[in-house]
Amino acid sequence: MSSPIQPVRIKSFVPDAENQSSSGPELVEKHSSLIGSGTGHWADRIFGGAMLLAALSVLAIVLLILTQLYWQSELSIHQFGWKFFTTSNWDPVAGDFGALPFIYGTLVSSFLALLMAAPLGIGVAIFMNEMCPRPLRTPFSYLVELLAAIPSVIYGLWGMFVLVPIMRNYVQPFLAAHFGWTGFFSGPMYGIGMLPASVILAIMVVPFISSITREVMLAVPQPQREAALALGATRWEMLRIGVLRNARIGIMGGIVLALGRALGETMAVTMLIGNRPEIAKSLFAPGYTMASVIANEFSEATDNLYLSALVEIGLALFLVTIVVNILAQGLIWSITRGNTVRAN
Amino acid sequence: MKNQSHMRRYLVDHLATGLSWLAAVLVLVPLLAIFSYLVYRGIGSLDWAFFTQIPKPVGEHGGGMANAIIGSAVILGIGSLIGVPLGIGSGVYLAEYGRGRLGDAVRFTADVLNGIPSIVMGIAVYALIVIRQKHFSAFAGGFALGIMMVPTIARATEEMLLMVPSALREAALGLGIPKWRTTISIALRTASAGIITGIMLAFARVAGETAPLLFTAFGNSFWNMNPNQPTAALPLQIYTYANSPYDEWHRIAWAGALVLVILIVAAVTAVRVVASRGVLKGSH
Amino acid sequence: MAVGIKVENLKAWFGKTEALHGITMDVQSGKATAIIGPSGCGKSTFVRCLNRMHETIPDARAEGKVQIGETDIYGNGTSAVQIRRRVGMVFQKPNPFPTMSIYDNVAAGLRLNGVRNGREIETVVERCLRSAALWDEVKDHLKKKSGASLSGGQQQRLCIARALAVEPEVLLMDEPASALDPISTSKIEELIFSLKQNYTVVIVTHNMQQAARVADSTAFFLMGELIELDKTAKIFTTPGDKRTEDYITGRFG
């Protein structure tokens, strides 16, 4: 969302490393010597250097994180290789580690969450941009913003004491009675498990989807709406062919961004998913995610291989979220950046 | 035939409108449910003891989260000391010098940093600091949170600085004021409200973080004023108490959650108020 | 098929600002009528009131009587959606749907109106692209190329074809050639000339030569008021009002 209005670059007193060829810096530099701020020249260098250092520290930190994660997981990587991600035996006592149940749990809980959150988030965005009466717009968007600000651990707390009993007493019996035949809703109803974890994840990522969707909808040029209206489109038809159709790639980006969040979400999921490394078809059954196994077992992991296996899960999670986030950014940029080009 | 199609189109239009209202209501239900339940369970336990006492051993009634509140303050303080200068510095670099490839690389890395799952940040800082020091500490926790603040602050600083009219800068440079002074006393000062907004946003985001503290600050049931020792934090304590089987601890967890949420809501609200008044000085 | 338009005491507002101060005029059916006047005189607002597009701008509203054929478009129970289907519009900047193919752009209006028959759509698409003088240029990649891949002039003709596909009775054009190069402009003008045989055309233009070339009648607007409406030849040779004369001779505006 970088600002489209960018001020004309003023040539710096510090010779710009990239643009030595242009005559600008020299002119300015001559000018500055006229004023005679010789000390300013050095101060400028120091100031520029300090800012550069801050910026470089961001690069350094990310590199450090990556290398640390790699070094700490080397033991496990060498021991298990790719098998680590395809086997499902998690036995700290025997020193045998396979991350498949966690990968499964992470993917299933995230996808289920998106399944619920995507329509909801898009609906909320449409409501806020198009349907909401003007005076209600600001308070409503404030409330959605608050939803995004609630800490994960509080979602978890609320989930444990409010959502889980509701699930156990009402939702799960209902689902079992009507959809039990599918096999997704059967077995003992603990309350905790894959289902409530996905529901809480869905609530948590809705604000991400709705805010990105709003942004890309606003990026669709006004003439597209007029074109649809002038053809005799109803409001919904105008939104469908004049707005959503043009914004769909960006909306996809918002959903992918939410996926990135959901994959790495830790506390609320850990408190609700049941933490059992099993691959079960029923969504009533407990599961485990990559983030929650780290949260739960990291401090108990005493021997090096166990610790290393957990860090490798963290490394994998990190790499996957990077890829997912880059994908999301690309999709969103293609709408918000390119819209002026596309409109002409 | 035509009429039927019209009827159908209007029905679909009304249906879509209805569904968008439904989505709006559906998204507010959990929010209101969470807030009201927090107040309902938490308000009764917000007594003097909660703010002044440390946790009582299991079985004893009473006790509070005073150590966790102080601990959170210490950890967030350390985090801000690290995150704010780094964030503002990177933002200034990006806005004032970062046109080239290095600038893009920094922007990209900041995005990556922003997307790192908080639990991964926790184990990375564990590997980076805790293993080396051989003990948990408020410092390690603060470091993790501080790093997590950097991308938000950097982004806000860059955007705000780019919004400062170039004429203002040119005027200062034209007077012979060196660039570093122009940047600090003209550009940064003009953009200060917006940058503070960004800092508070970053603060609100990390204030409730639990995962990065699990293996860095670690938590502590007692008073600890030494930032080089394991330290309690509000979110950590809520997590520990929520997972415990004791009603008394649940009670205090709710009170803690209420305090945490009030803190964060206050920050978010302040950000909104500042932002609605205009993020640039003299822009309204 | 073409119908006339009767406008009586039409007023339009943007928020609290009145942009049209009670316009009364008749637009003849099956003819082209040009609306000219300096920037900000309300000519665009006026045509946007003829298909109720004006009210789609936040805080904008219109009042008065506009009769398209027998229908009072601001009457109780008249739906804007149906009016816009009957009164097509072409905008200043071409606005094809970039995510749709050329074919789908033209078919968009038909599909909205519930036409599902593929053969029928195909016939209409071809007819409209021919009417818009675009068929020969695009017939080989109708379904392959996006509407946005065409040149500016082609895009504008595509938008005209899209507007024609729903068989409107009136076609409103809001400076349809102002964003185009001279060659594209002359193609659009030829097109308007041929279209007025079947449609009532109202064209807003700031280009007086263009009005003189394509329109049968011309109306001169100034500061939200209609100053004069007459045969184009009369307006440009012996206008009845001093202000019209000042404008067309270039003494202001």
Side-chain angles (χ1 to χ4, degrees):
Chain A
M1 235 179 61
S2 65
S3 163
I5 310 143
Q6 293 181 348
V8 181
R9 291 284 295 160
I10 307 153
K11 284 297 166 206
S12 54
F13 287 84
V14 185
D16 201 333
E18 253 99 72
N19 279 330
Q20 280 285 7
S21 57
S22 69
S23 64
E26 284 119 322
L27 272 179
V28 180
E29 220 143 33
K30 263 180 210 154
H31 190 58
S32 86
S33 66
L34 273 178
I35 301 166
S37 57
T39 49
H41 186 84
W42 280 106
D44 270 340
R45 288 197 167 206
I46 293 166
F47 179 73
M51 300 301 112
L52 177 65
L53 215 61
L56 286 178
S57 75
V58 175
L59 288 173
I61 287 166
V62 171
L63 274 178
L64 263 177
I65 291 174
L66 254 179
T67 47
Q68 286 297 332
L69 290 176
Y70 180 75
W71 284 336
Q72 294 295 328
S73 54
E74 241 182 334
L75 193 60
S76 161
I77 293 174
H78 285 171
Q79 179 94 20
F80 304 112
W82 289 110
K83 212 180 71 187
F84 185 70
F85 300 105
T86 53
T87 55
S88 47
N89 196 25
W90 187 260
D91 188 348
V93 183
D96 191 13
F97 298 102
L100 194 60
F102 313 113
I103 297 171
Y104 174 84
T106 303
L107 292 180
V108 170
S109 59
S110 298
F111 279 114
L112 273 178
L114 289 184
L115 215 59
M116 294 178 262
L120 201 58
I122 296 170
V124 167
I126 292 176
F127 175 79
M128 274 204 264
N129 276 9
E130 314 283 342
M131 312 283 186
C132 185
R134 258 158 204 282
L136 291 182
R137 227 168 259 197
T138 316
F140 186 76
S141 77
Y142 169 69
L143 290 177
V144 175
E145 204 176 309
L146 287 186
L147 201 60
I150 297 177
S152 179
V153 68
I154 289 175
Y155 275 109
L157 181 67
W158 181 79
M160 283 172 81
F161 290 96
V162 180
L163 188 65
V164 164
I166 293 176
M167 282 284 166
R168 187 171 46 223
N169 299 332
Y170 305 102
V171 181
Q172 293 188 340
F174 172 84
L175 288 172
H178 294 90
F179 303 99
W181 52 270
T182 56
F184 292 123
F185 308 105
S186 57
M189 301 169 207
Y190 304 108
I192 54 166
M194 198 63 99
L195 198 60
S198 313
V199 170
I200 212 84
L201 262 182
I203 299 173
M204 294 175 77
V205 299
V206 159
F208 285 94
I209 299 180
S210 70
S211 82
I212 301 289
T213 304
R214 285 188 73 185
E215 208 177 293
V216 293
M217 281 175 74
L218 289 173
V220 174
Q222 192 64 21
Q224 286 291 309
R225 294 156 182 267
E226 300 208 317
L229 283 177
L231 284 177
T234 61
R235 178 158 67 168
W236 165 245
E237 287 162 348
M238 179 268 283
L239 285 173
R240 186 165 55 84
I241 67 174
V243 181
L244 295 178
R245 204 186 152 101
N246 290 318
R248 60 192 173 183
I249 296 172
I251 295 175
M252 205 57 206
I255 296 172
V256 176
L257 194 74
L259 174 68
R261 289 279 153 187
L263 292 174
E265 188 44 62
T266 312
M267 303 317 294
V269 175
T270 307
M271 292 162 91
L272 297 179
I273 201 165
N275 301 327
R276 202 192 286 165
E278 267 173 22
I279 296 180
K281 188 186 177 194
S282 171
L283 301 178
F284 291 178
Y288 221 155
T289 68
M290 296 164 85
S292 17
V293 72
I294 301 173
N296 271 327
E297 302 186 5
F298 196 77
S299 28
E300 312 161 359
T302 38
D303 71 281
N304 286 338
L305 186 62
Y306 192 5
L307 202 68
S308 180
L310 286 169
V311 179
E312 188 179 350
I313 291 179
L315 178 64
L317 191 58
F318 179 26
L319 296 177
V320 170
T321 14
I322 291 182
V323 172
V324 167
N325 282 328
I326 292 173
L327 182 65
Q329 298 287 0
L331 292 171
I332 296 165
W333 276 6
S334 74
I335 294 296
T336 49
R337 290 224 159 164
N339 75 75
T340 42
V341 183
R342 288 153 49 92
N344 287 316
Chain B
M1 175 61 201
K2 265 255 155 80
N3 264 334
Q4 246 181 8
S5 135
H6 273 136
M7 281 294 291
R8 199 182 53 80
R9 291 174 61 194
Y10 284 110
L11 270 175
V12 171
D13 192 51
H14 287 310
L15 190 70
T17 311
L19 283 176
S20 92
W21 276 87
L22 181 69
V25 171
L26 274 180
V27 85
L28 289 188
V29 166
L31 181 76
L32 298 179
I34 291 171
F35 278 2
S36 51
Y37 201 73
L38 263 181
V39 173
Y40 162 69
R41 289 292 299 263
I43 198 108
S45 308
L46 278 189
D47 46 17
W48 184 243
F50 176 85
F51 291 103
T52 53
Q53 295 186 9
I54 64 170
K56 287 262 171 78
V58 177
E60 282 181 49
H61 187 81
M65 285 199 175
N67 61 333
I69 294 172
I70 302 291
S72 265
V74 170
I75 294 169
L76 285 167
I78 295 172
S80 303
L81 280 179
I82 296 166
V84 172
L86 278 186
I88 294 183
S90 326
V92 169
Y93 175 80
L94 290 175
E96 307 284 333
Y97 309 93
R99 289 299 101 177
R101 226 175 264 162
L102 181 60
D104 288 338
V106 172
R107 258 177 227 108
F108 173 79
T109 325
D111 276 346
V112 169
L113 193 56
N114 200 27
I116 296 181
S118 53
I119 187 81
V120 174
M121 187 62 88
I123 53 175
V125 173
Y126 173 87
L128 209 58
I129 298 178
V130 179
I131 289 185
R132 252 149 254 217
Q133 283 201 310
K134 300 202 169 56
H135 58 80
F136 302 105
S137 66
F139 176 70
F143 185 75
L145 297 191
I147 292 174
M148 293 176 73
M149 290 171 83
V150 170
T152 314
I153 299 175
R155 162 77 48 106
T157 306
E158 185 191 0
E159 273 179 25
M160 292 307 133
L161 284 179
L162 289 176
M163 276 166 69
V164 174
S166 52
L168 220 56
R169 265 174 259 220
E170 278 170 48
L173 290 171
L175 287 173
I177 300 171
K179 182 176 168 92
W180 69 275
R181 290 224 48 178
T182 307
T183 306
I184 291 175
S185 35
I186 308 288
L188 277 176
R189 181 170 291 185
T190 314
S192 59
I195 294 172
I196 290 170
T197 311
I199 293 172
M200 288 176 66
L201 219 67
F203 188 84
R205 217 196 107 189
V206 299
E209 281 291 358
T210 315
L213 302 181
L214 286 171
F215 327 117
T216 53
F218 192 70
N220 193 330
S221 328
F222 304 100
W223 285 108
N224 167 45
M225 282 300 158
N226 182 351
N228 215 11
Q229 289 298 318
T231 305
L234 204 45
L236 270 181
Q237 199 88 330
I238 295 169
Y239 176 61
T240 316
Y241 277 19
N243 276 329
S244 76
Y246 315 113
D247 283 343
E248 180 64 13
W249 281 14
H250 292 165
R251 185 180 70 79
I252 297 176
W254 283 107
L258 182 60
V259 170
L260 187 57
V261 161
I262 289 173
L263 197 96
I264 289 168
V265 168
V268 171
T269 310
V271 165
R272 265 212 160 220
V273 171
V274 174
S276 70
R277 294 220 179 121
V279 285
L280 287 190
K281 282 203 171 152
S283 71
H284 50 97
Chain C
M1 201 158 87
V3 295
I5 307 170
K6 265 182 166 10
V7 180
E8 263 174 58
N9 196 24
L10 176 67
K11 292 180 179 174
W13 288 266
F14 290 100
K16 293 206 166 68
T17 326
E18 194 176 275
L20 291 178
H21 313 304
I23 305 290
T24 300
M25 71 180 266
D26 284 358
V27 176
Q28 285 178 292
S29 84
K31 294 269 163 56
T33 303
I35 316 278
I36 61 169
S39 310
C41 68
K43 53 190 195 291
S44 277
T45 308
F46 174 71
V47 290
R48 290 174 64 96
C49 285
L50 300 185
N51 66 345
R52 295 188 55 177
M53 280 301 286
H54 177 65
E55 67 202 46
T56 63
I57 299 167
D59 294 328
R61 65 196 174 88
E63 211 172 75
K65 195 170 177 191
V66 177
Q67 254 191 318
I68 308 265
E70 296 301 312
T71 319
D72 177 6
I73 70 167
Y74 286 100
N76 285 334
T78 314
S79 101
V81 169
Q82 263 149 311
I83 293 305
R84 293 186 197 126
R85 201 200 63 69
R86 289 176 56 194
V87 183
M89 187 162 200
V90 176
F91 297 85
Q92 184 169 357
K93 262 170 107 184
N95 53 1
F97 299 121
T99 55
M100 292 186 194
S101 67
I102 295 170
Y103 183 91
D104 290 335
N105 259 284
V106 183
L110 288 174
R111 292 194 174 129
L112 282 184
N113 282 288
V115 181
R116 291 277 174 275
N117 182 334
R119 185 68 56 78
E120 187 185 342
I121 292 177
E122 211 159 298
T123 332
V124 175
V125 168
E126 178 172 350
R127 196 192 69 227
C128 293
L129 283 170
R130 281 190 193 282
S131 307
L134 191 61
W135 176 253
D136 291 331
E137 293 160 59
V138 300
K139 64 180 179 210
D140 297 328
H141 32 252
L142 277 181
K143 295 190 181 173
K144 272 174 274 160
K145 276 200 175 177
S146 136
S149 67
L150 301 172
S151 74
Q154 289 174 323
Q155 285 189 17
Q156 193 62 301
R157 279 179 280 146
L158 177 62
C159 291
I160 294 174
R162 183 177 64 187
L164 296 180
V166 290
E167 298 183 11
E169 295 152 63
V170 176
L171 192 60
L172 307 174
M173 303 180 119
D174 187 0
E175 309 208 18
S178 69
L180 304 180
D181 61 277
I183 294 168
S184 305
T185 302
S186 76
K187 281 198 175 153
I188 300 280
E189 284 180 13
E190 280 169 35
L191 183 54
I192 296 169
F193 212 82
S194 67
L195 288 175
K196 70 181 184 191
Q197 276 140 35
N198 298 312
Y199 304 91
T200 304
V201 178
V202 180
I203 173 172
V204 169
T205 177
H206 59 248
N207 178 336
M208 282 176 279
Q209 285 79 17
Q210 187 169 65
R213 283 192 296 263
V214 301
D216 303 287
S217 302
T218 296
F220 173 60
F221 275 56
L222 187 62
M223 299 174 78
E225 291 191 64
L226 170 66
I227 304 300
E228 198 175 349
L229 165 67
D230 215 323
K231 293 259 175 293
T232 299
K234 173 105 187 334
I235 290 275
F236 283 104
T237 50
T238 51
D241 195 290
K242 178 79 171 59
R243 288 167 293 180
T244 316
E245 193 183 331
D246 285 350
Y247 179 68
I248 60 172
T249 52
R251 249 166 271 170
F252 73 86

